[in-house]
């Protein structure tokens, strides 16, 4: 039978392992959130550049489509 000291040590090791895994998960979640933020910003910039290249005419055309959809 395992001694009480050995059981306490095993419990301590399990807690340490759990805390380490929890911290690693938090780091990964933060990295994922940062990547999503960067992707959103890149998409917004890409859209802005597209509108800049195609000018106001396309934006006006989109507005007309929305108006027609409402009718």
């Amino acid at each position: 039978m395992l001694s009480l000291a050995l059981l306490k040590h095993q419990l301590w090791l399990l807690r340490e392992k759990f805390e380490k895994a929890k911290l690693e998960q938090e780091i990964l979640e933060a990295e994922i959130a940062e990547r999503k933020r960067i992707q959103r910003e890149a998409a917004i910039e890409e859209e802005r550049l597209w509108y800049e290249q195609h000018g106001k005419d396309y934006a006006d055309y989109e507005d007309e489509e929305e108006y027609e959809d409402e009718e």
Side-chain angles (χ1 to χ4, degrees):
M1 187 166 162
L2 296 174
S3 70
L4 183 58
L6 184 56
L7 288 173
K8 285 182 178 181
H9 181 69
Q10 287 178 339
L11 180 59
W12 178 81
L13 289 174
L14 286 173
R15 284 183 182 153
E16 288 293 313
K17 188 175 181 179
F18 173 77
E19 290 299 321
K20 183 179 178 184
K22 189 173 155 184
L23 181 60
E24 289 173 353
Q25 181 179 352
E26 290 172 358
I27 291 169
L28 285 174
E29 288 174 355
E31 288 175 1
I32 290 169
E34 178 66 9
R35 288 178 183 168
K36 285 181 179 181
R37 183 191 65 78
I38 291 169
Q39 288 175 339
R40 277 193 309 273
E41 288 179 1
I44 290 168
E45 180 64 12
E46 183 178 337
E47 183 178 20
R48 184 192 68 75
L49 289 173
W50 191 93
Y51 277 108
E52 188 176 283
Q53 291 173 354
H54 293 83
K56 186 177 177 334
D57 294 336
Y58 185 80
D60 290 342
Y61 176 75
E62 276 191 335
D63 290 341
E64 288 175 12
E65 281 184 341
E66 288 177 15
Y67 177 74
E68 290 173 1
D69 290 342
E70 291 175 0
E71 291 180 349

